[in-house]
Amino acid sequence: MAINLRMAEYGDFDVERVVEIAHAIRPDDYESVATLNDWHDVQRRARRVCVRWLASLDGQIVGSAYVGQSSWVPLTTMMLYVAVHPDHQGRGIGRVLLEQAEGTAGEWGGSRTFSWTEENWPRPMRFLTRAGYEVVERRWESTLDLRRCDLNDLRAAVEQSASSGVRILSIAALAAERSDWKHDLHRLYTAVEQDVPAPFPIQEVPFGDFEVLSLGRRLVRDGFFVALDGDELVGLTEPQLVDEVPHAIDQNLTGVRADHRGRGIATALKARAAIWAVQAGYTSIRTQNAQSNVGMLAVNDRLGFKRDRATIEYLKDL
């Protein structure tokens, strides 16, 4: 068996086949050609490392390994992810890809690699452990079935926060109030994200990345909500559209400034987003939270999110 490897940079590869492999591994994966291109475009503009090794057999791509920097991860910690089509797993392709990707990370100045896999996939868990990766975090994926949620319960959560003087607005309404709302929102986003539990210090996301990935193609202006205490932005929740799954919402960052926690604001934000999603005809909301983020997991449990599976996160010193 001859494995042919090719290194591609910044989107110069068969995006459709890479996404097809992702869906073969997990049929309900939200990865799409458009989201992958969004990511590569952001990386290219920022001049960050963004390399993908492709493994082919008989002219067909059967696996890939991504290695690159991220705006929210220290630049010497490289993100690394290996994916091999299920029909070709167990043949040493993943090992070859991993070795190439780790070598690339080292050549570009990486001192550590950060990877992940799902808890219900024992083969890749063993693969990463044998390769010297150590578990650093567990991230729960949870789903809210909007067809079964109690709207009265959700409205009560919103009203409880309103009684404390906190206003909840969509960013469409925020934009009508503030001329520089994007930069105000970016400052809030940065403060909230840097306080999220992680196995390394979270870096400030540049405004350009934020504008493309959070306020770009997948933005829902009427469903992205912020909380204000007086004129101060103190919390947010970020639902995003899902390519090719029109009735699903992918809820990204939700958080509240540290000095405003304990007032039910995060619960109210997520409840308000769920009400909007029901009224807009969506049927589910999917989100992820670190196991160490017990506060947000409690919010999800309170609102009726059901934990589906866990993603295991790993680090390795090169």
Side-chain angles (χ1 to χ4, degrees):
M1 180 184 70
I3 304 171
N4 296 311
L5 293 182
R6 175 169 71 88
M7 186 178 75
E9 294 188 53
Y10 297 117
D12 178 26
F13 63 96
D14 187 341
V15 183
E16 290 81 5
R17 180 57 179 168
V18 171
V19 172
E20 183 181 322
I21 291 171
H23 289 169
I25 295 171
R26 180 179 174 181
D28 64 344
D29 195 318
Y30 283 169
E31 187 72 275
S32 72
V33 170
T35 57
L36 207 53
N37 283 334
D38 287 345
W39 176 256
H40 280 261
D41 288 346
V42 164
Q43 296 293 83
R44 178 171 58 250
R45 280 194 292 269
R47 299 183 181 275
R48 289 189 291 264
V49 177
C50 179
V51 173
R52 192 174 295 269
W53 283 95
L54 305 174
S56 300
L57 293 176
D58 300 322
Q60 182 183 39
I61 297 172
V62 297
S64 73
Y66 172 80
V67 58
Q69 296 165 322
S70 172
S71 59
W72 57 276
V73 175
L75 293 180
T76 56
T77 298
M78 299 279 184
M79 300 177 70
L80 190 156
Y81 183 73
V82 174
V84 177
H85 194 287
D87 292 344
H88 298 279
Q89 292 178 4
R91 304 171 68 181
I93 298 170
R95 176 178 52 79
V96 172
L97 282 166
L98 180 65
E99 290 175 357
Q100 288 286 350
E102 288 181 344
T104 301
E107 290 170 5
W108 282 96
S111 60
R112 293 194 302 177
T113 48
F114 171 66
S115 193
W116 59 94
T117 189
E118 295 194 8
E119 188 178 45
N120 57 343
W121 296 343
R123 173 177 282 169
M125 290 179 67
R126 291 194 299 269
F127 169 73
L128 289 172
T129 300
R130 286 197 298 265
Y133 285 79
E134 296 185 359
V135 175
V136 291
E137 182 62 276
R138 181 187 303 265
R139 186 169 296 275
W140 283 103
E141 181 178 284
S142 304
T143 301
L144 179 63
D145 186 343
L146 297 172
R147 297 164 297 186
R148 294 183 171 85
C149 64
D150 187 334
L151 283 177
N152 289 329
D153 192 31
L154 295 174
R155 291 188 180 104
V158 176
E159 291 168 3
Q160 180 180 351
S161 181
S163 66
S164 69
V166 173
R167 289 191 301 150
I168 294 180
L169 299 178
S170 69
I171 61 168
L174 182 70
E177 290 189 2
R178 301 184 179 209
S179 59
D180 199 25
W181 66 274
K182 287 186 178 182
H183 285 92
D184 289 345
L185 186 60
H186 175 245
R187 283 188 284 271
L188 171 65
Y189 190 98
T190 296
V192 169
E193 184 167 58
Q194 289 186 321
D195 213 18
V196 171
F200 33 69
I202 299 294
Q203 310 300 298
E204 178 177 347
V205 175
F207 179 77
D209 287 23
F210 170 72
E211 191 170 30
V212 172
L213 298 177
S214 292
L215 303 181
R217 186 180 54 81
R218 298 172 62 202
L219 171 67
V220 282
R221 290 172 65 93
D222 294 324
F224 189 138
F225 289 95
V226 295
L228 294 92
D229 189 357
D231 291 328
E232 182 184 5
L233 286 169
V234 299
L236 62 85
T237 190
E238 180 190 10
Q240 294 188 319
L241 301 176
V242 180
D243 296 322
E244 301 172 13
V245 190
H247 298 297
I249 286 292
D250 185 15
Q251 194 163 39
N252 190 18
L253 181 64
T254 298
V256 176
R257 289 184 181 272
D259 56 351
H260 284 77
R261 292 180 191 151
R263 300 169 59 185
I265 297 174
T267 303
L269 283 164
K270 296 197 86 164
R272 183 65 188 88
I275 293 169
W276 164 82
V278 170
Q279 294 172 339
Y282 294 96
T283 59
S284 67
I285 298 176
R286 181 190 289 180
T287 191
Q288 284 198 351
N289 298 102
Q291 180 171 277
S292 56
N293 194 351
V294 293
M296 193 56 65
L297 288 172
V299 169
N300 289 342
D301 292 343
R302 157 80 173 80
L303 295 175
F305 282 81
K306 303 302 180 185
R307 299 181 197 181
D308 301 324
R309 64 188 83 197
T311 296
I312 311 300
E313 298 178 339
Y314 299 82
L315 278 175
K316 178 181 178 178
D317 291 326
L318 294 178

